[in-house]
Structures are given as C-alpha cells and as structure tokens.
Amino acid sequence: EGVAPQEYTLIKLKIHDDHVPEKLKGISQQGVYLVAATLRPETMYGQTNCWLHPDLEYVAFLTKTKEIFICTHRAAKNLSYQEYTDEYGRYTVLQEYVGSELLGLPLHAPLSSYETVYTLPMMTIKGDKGTGVVTSVPSDSPDDYAALSDLKNKPNLREKYKIKDEMVTDYNPVPIIELQPYGRLSAVTICEQLKIHSQNDRDKLLEAKEKIYLKSFYDGVLLVGEHKDKKVCDAKKLIRDFLIKNQQACAYYE
Ligand code: A2H
C-alpha cells in the first residue's frame, strides 16, 4: 500500500424493493443498496452478479440522504469521514449481517445489460479493502470469471449457499471491451491461456491481472454504451462522472 489514497468508485446496487431484508423494511423510501468499490467504472456494462464473502460481517446504515448502504463496518466508518453521514460523522447501524444471510438477493446494477443480477459467494474477498462488496464483471476481471466459473461448475457450492441454478446459469460474460490480442472477453481468454481452474489459483490470477489490467487501460476500446469506440483511458472518467451525477455511484477514498 502506497501513501497516496486509492480512489475508488462506489457502485450502488439496489436491492429489489420486494426483497429488502425484513428488519430494513419501512425505514427508508430511498432504497437499500449494496455498495461495491471498483477501480473500473467503465466496465459496469458487463456486470453479471455481485460478490459477498459468506463469512464476512456487514452492516446496514442510514446515510445523510436517507438511503441505506450495506458494506463492512470498516467501510461504513470510512464513509462517515467522507460526508455520507451527519456533520458529526455519526451514523446509525440499523442491522448487522454475515454475508451468507445476504446471498441470492436480486439487485439492480447500474448500466448492466442484465435487468436483475444476484448476490453470490466469493471466498477471496478481503475484509480490509474497499467495502467487502465486489461487483462482478467476468468479461474483464479474471477473479470474477474464475469465481463465476466455480459456481457454474460446482453444484455442491451452489447448494451449500442455497444459490438457485438460474442465478448462475442465466449469466455469462458480456463483450464490452476489445483488447488485442485477447479479443472481446479478455478475462476469459487469459484464464484459458494460463489454465486457471478456480478462484483459489492465486498466483496465476495475479499473473492474469498483471497481463491485462494496465493494458486494458491504454489499449482497450469500448464496444457498448454512450462512449462506444472510445479508448478506456478516455472514457473512464466520463462514465464515472455520469454514474455519480445520476446518483448511481459515489466517490470513495481509502
Ligand atoms: B475491480 P485494489 Cl473489470 N477483496 O472492479 C477483493 N477484491 C476486491 C475488494 C476486496 N475487498 N474490493 C474490491 N475488489 C476488486 C471491476 C474490476 C476490478 C475489473 C477488472 C479488475 C479489477 C469488477 N470486479 O480489479 O487491490 C474490485 O474489482 C483488479 C485490481 O484496491 C476492484 O476493482 O487495487 C479491485 O479489486 C480493487 O483492487
């Protein structure tokens, strides 16, 4: 970790009103959101699901604008220093959860081509980074592709966390960025080339990320959306600003 703060975009994934957890019902008219920290706002067109760690603790708290955010306690505290709570940095924890209690929830994910995506389990989420909520873009993130493939290939894993088959089988990587020589699903290509078999292939996943992450920033070209045909490095900030302006995302530093 360097000295400079990392600038993330917090993507607000809204829980469908009719699936808001029991104890959060009737508290807010503004909606209940899982908030995911990402470095790649320009990839939100390709969201297929949202990852939570089944054993990690999450809190639901009320923001200054009377929305309910769900993230780790640590991230809630960081957000309280970043003007999401009252002027004294106070915030009310409404409810605590472990991740497994929040799996299988239907969400609206901004810009995604899938109208509904679901919360699914990922075992490699860290509690001391971001919000503990990770939005999944398997076309462009090797970690996300490996974890989604695990759920597709392992019925026992789905069963263990009571994930319905269709929450996984109906969802596939969406081509959103062209990156030569990897093509239109760069994470899929790199995982196949490096023979990555699961989300636990840590060394190979690190290598995969190193191969495509920076390259995508400089050489990637968007295939969809308002900034189609633009390079990722030119479109990234525009898409981030659009999401923030539309209150579908906010800035987050740590
Ligand atoms: B990224 P950095 Cl398409 N545990 O978003 C594990 N991973 C986490 C996390 C946590 N607590 N919090 C955030 N992340 C992920 C999109 C994406 C991301 C793409 C490609 C690469 C990529 C869609 N998932 O990240 O350690 C989030 O996934 C590659 C680095 O703070 C977030 O951005 O640098 C990124 O890791 C933040 O990682």
Side-chain angles (χ1 to χ4, degrees), residues 8 37-40 43 125-126 129 134-135 137 140-141 144:
Y8 293 97
T38 182
L39 296 171
R40 304 283 314 266
T43 66
I125 289 182
K126 298 188 184 96
K129 182 166 87 177
V134 177
T135 193
V137 183
D140 290 81
S141 161
D144 297 345

Side-chain angles (χ1 to χ4, degrees), residues 142 182 186-196 208 211-212:
Y182 299 102
S186 55
V188 178
T189 306
I190 196 77
C191 284
E192 281 167 3
Q193 281 179 3
L194 297 178
K195 301 192 166 52
I196 290 168
K211 284 221 157 82
I212 62 170

Side-chain angles (χ1 to χ4, degrees), residues 236-246:
K236 191 188 204 77
K237 188 175 175 338
L238 299 173
I239 295 171
R240 178 179 202 260
D241 291 348
F242 171 86
L243 287 166
I244 292 175
K245 194 180 101 221
N246 283 287

Side-chain angles (χ1 to χ4, degrees), residues 1 6-9 11 36-44 46-47 49 51 56 58 72 74 122 124-144 176-177 187 202 209 212-213 216 254:
E1 293 273 305
Q6 180 77 269
E7 180 186 72
Y8 293 97
T9 305
I11 305 297
T38 182
L39 296 171
R40 304 283 314 266
E42 75 283 3
T43 66
M44 295 301 107
Q47 292 174 93
N49 61 279
W51 301 118
L56 198 59
Y58 294 89
T72 56
R74 179 188 152 278
M122 178 190 245
T124 57
I125 289 182
K126 298 188 184 96
D128 59 358
K129 182 166 87 177
T131 57
V133 179
V134 177
T135 193
S136 172
V137 183
S139 54
D140 290 81
S141 161
D143 287 317
D144 297 345
I176 55 163
I177 291 170
R202 298 317 299 163
K209 259 183 282 186
I212 62 170
Y213 182 62
S216 182
E254 64 174 42

